[in-house]
Amino acid sequence: MTRKKRVLTGINTTGTLHIGNYVGAIRPAIQDSRNPDVESFFFLADLHALIKCQDPTRIERSRMQIAATWLAAGLDPDHVTFYRQSDIPEIPLLCWMFDCVMSKGLLNRAHAYKAAVDAATAAGRDPDADVSMGLFSYPVLMAADILMFNADEVPVGHDQLQHLEMARDAASRFNNLYCSPDKPFFVMPQATGGSALEVLPGLDGRKMSKSYNNVIPLFEGGRAALDAAIARIVTDSRLPGEPKDPDSSSLTVIYNAFATPSEQIAFREALKDGLGWGEAKKQLADKIDAEIGPMRSRYDELMTHPNVLEDILQAGAQKARALSAPFMHELKLAVGLKAFAAPEAAAEKAKNAKKALPVFKQYREQDGSFRFKLVAVDGTELFISDAFASGRDAGSWVSRLKKEGAAAFDEAPVTLGGGITKEMVETALAAFREDED
């Protein structure tokens, strides 16, 4: 049976989310997750967060905020697999497997690593002064995130395309080393754009980013924080009544991200006709709040009930591990990390050895009569019975000998085999009674 297309989305847990994250990633990803032909995976990349942040309080707060944001924005945990990266132990194990097959030369070319090296060199320091192993192998952990669930598509921004290519390299190298060409372990993931507006401009026209302090908050601070941020959007000095250039400020681009095509046209025309910047900013705040305002109460509720978040994420981890655990078992076998003896097989063998018993064999002679004989564990024939007119009569004696042992043997119509003593037979018959005990 052909499985559904798998799409995987992750987000780093080092801060709070803003309008740019919502427009560029969250909103389109949630819309796509409602496609019945798609199997969606969403995760909090909290292991990745440790690369940049060593503040436990900030990490914990961010994980809660981001989980609550996804759910408040409409992510349905019953229809997707929503989990924390750190709750899936198979992911770091797969990361190590990839560490052992990927080349250092490839990782040397990673953009984040090169940027850190260039910055340290420019400052006259050792090139690797600011490079942790986490930063260096970040693309490997990302490859494990993607390939652990064999995602077919990964919505990524332009700055992440190189990491996706490295994930494809990891998949190819592992497949070539450990599996047959007609049955690879890993698929080749493809990059997809998360939104037609991948990068939303910030208050100053640059990319909206917390590092530039130019963001519009999504839920934190409520409507007051939203209004305060929008008030800081850079515009020119033209007064109300004077024609404005709609493209002279990031305000128009942000408005377009929340408006219908007809509303976008009307807004541009209003600016050209002299709409004041203050009124334009109020219209933008109203437009954004009309969409995210109803979500804000759900966000606040989740943030005040972390146990609800925890239950949802634990349920998601169980769904994820139902896939990752058996897959990792296959991968461990492939690389040679096998148990020396299967515990179940060893236990069964011991059980069988303990219960090894003599065997009663019943058979029919050519003249139509019935006999039985007792054969020891080593194959020695201990005795053979006289002939019986019916198999039922022979069977009755077998049952009685198993149950009563030596007490019935004295009366049994049997003849001992050559060199066999009565004591040898009684010992053999005693084994049946011990087994019952």
Side-chain angles (χ1 to χ4, degrees):
M1 179 178 176
T2 304
R3 67 171 173 85
K4 294 181 180 180
K5 179 175 68 176
R6 291 181 179 176
V7 179
L8 180 139
T9 301
I11 192 162
N12 212 314
T13 57
T14 54
T16 58
L17 299 177
H18 52 73
I19 290 295
N21 302 130
Y22 174 74
V23 171
I26 297 173
R27 186 171 64 184
I30 291 176
Q31 290 172 346
D32 291 344
S33 74
R34 295 172 181 147
N35 185 340
D37 298 323
V38 170
E39 187 177 2
S40 298
F41 295 78
F42 292 84
F43 70 96
L44 307 179
D46 51 356
L47 294 179
H48 285 293
L50 300 179
I51 297 171
K52 296 181 180 179
C53 180
Q54 284 77 48
D55 181 346
T57 302
R58 179 183 171 189
I59 292 287
E60 183 57 25
R61 179 72 176 172
S62 177
R63 295 199 310 168
M64 287 180 58
Q65 290 173 328
I66 292 173
T69 295
W70 278 102
L71 295 168
L75 187 68
D76 186 348
D78 292 331
H79 289 88
V80 303
T81 303
F82 183 45
Y83 58 95
R84 280 178 301 225
Q85 183 187 34
S86 60
D87 286 334
I88 315 300
E90 292 80 18
I91 290 175
L93 180 53
L94 181 58
C95 178
W96 178 252
M97 290 182 176
F98 287 157
D99 272 329
C100 295
V101 300
M102 295 178 72
S103 70
K104 180 177 180 294
L106 177 67
L107 298 177
N108 285 343
R109 297 191 287 275
H111 298 321
Y113 171 65
K114 290 175 65 177
V117 169
D118 291 345
T121 302
R125 296 183 295 145
D126 181 86
D128 288 326
D130 301 318
V131 179
S132 67
M133 284 306 301
L135 174 64
F136 183 72
S137 64
Y138 170 86
V140 188
L141 182 55
M142 184 172 174
D145 291 327
I146 296 168
L147 297 170
M148 186 75 259
F149 300 102
N150 265 324
D152 300 291
E153 294 181 0
V154 184
V156 294
H158 181 75
D159 59 340
Q160 294 289 328
L161 287 176
Q162 184 194 48
H163 291 153
L164 192 69
E165 287 301 316
M166 290 183 172
R168 291 168 61 87
D169 181 85
S172 179
R173 286 172 179 262
F174 194 97
N175 286 341
N176 289 337
L177 280 170
Y178 294 113
C179 68
S180 58
D182 59 330
K183 192 178 180 182
F185 284 113
F186 300 110
V187 302
M188 294 293 120
Q190 302 294 326
T192 60
S195 168
L197 185 62
E198 183 179 294
V199 178
L200 196 67
L203 307 181
D204 55 3
R206 293 181 295 176
K207 171 186 175 181
M208 190 175 291
S209 171
K210 290 186 290 291
S211 60
Y212 295 150
N213 191 30
N214 67 350
V215 304
I216 299 174
L218 184 54
F219 295 134
E220 293 294 314
R223 176 64 191 256
L226 177 67
D227 290 338
I230 291 175
R232 293 170 48 216
I233 295 178
V234 176
T235 58
D236 60 34
S237 59
R238 295 182 184 182
L239 299 174
E242 294 185 272
K244 315 287 190 303
D245 176 6
D247 298 320
S248 66
S249 171
S250 60
L251 188 151
T252 307
V253 180
I254 299 171
Y255 184 91
N256 290 346
F258 291 88
T260 65
S262 61
E263 290 172 336
Q264 294 172 18
I265 294 172
F267 189 70
R268 291 179 65 87
E269 292 303 315
L271 287 170
K272 291 178 182 178
D273 291 341
L275 177 69
W277 288 121
E279 176 60 26
K281 290 178 180 180
K282 182 181 183 306
Q283 289 186 21
L284 172 60
D286 289 342
K287 179 59 63 178
I288 294 175
D289 200 57
E291 182 168 330
I292 70 169
M295 305 174 187
R296 198 178 289 124
S297 59
R298 173 62 172 159
Y299 174 82
D300 292 339
E301 178 186 2
L302 289 168
M303 287 299 293
T304 55
H305 294 86
N307 58 305
V308 175
L309 287 173
E310 185 66 24
D311 289 344
I312 291 172
L313 289 167
Q314 287 299 326
Q318 288 183 7
K319 289 169 66 175
R321 295 207 65 209
L323 297 173
S324 63
F327 186 37
M328 177 51 67
H329 179 69
E330 291 182 39
L331 298 177
K332 289 174 70 174
L333 294 180
V335 302
L337 303 181
K338 305 177 182 179
F340 296 139
E344 297 84 358
E348 185 65 24
K349 183 177 180 181
K351 178 181 177 181
N352 292 339
K354 180 180 179 180
K355 289 192 172 185
L357 301 172
V359 178
F360 277 100
K361 295 183 178 181
Q362 293 181 242
Y363 57 96
R364 189 172 187 175
E365 299 281 15
Q366 291 183 353
D367 61 5
S369 63
F370 295 86
R371 293 180 185 269
F372 64 85
K373 59 184 176 181
L374 179 63
V375 179
V377 174
D378 63 3
T380 302
E381 189 175 287
L382 300 176
F383 62 67
I384 187 170
S385 73
D386 296 346
F388 293 89
S390 70
R392 181 177 181 179
D393 292 338
S396 296
W397 268 106
V398 170
S399 297
R400 185 178 172 187
L401 286 165
K402 285 183 177 180
K403 183 177 181 180
E404 301 178 22
F409 176 65
D410 290 335
E411 303 176 20
V414 299
T415 303
L416 296 179
I420 302 300
T421 65
K422 178 182 177 182
E423 288 75 16
M424 293 169 63
V425 173
E426 290 178 344
T427 300
L429 291 173
F432 291 103
R433 303 190 69 182
E434 291 172 1
D435 182 60
E436 288 182 357
D437 295 339

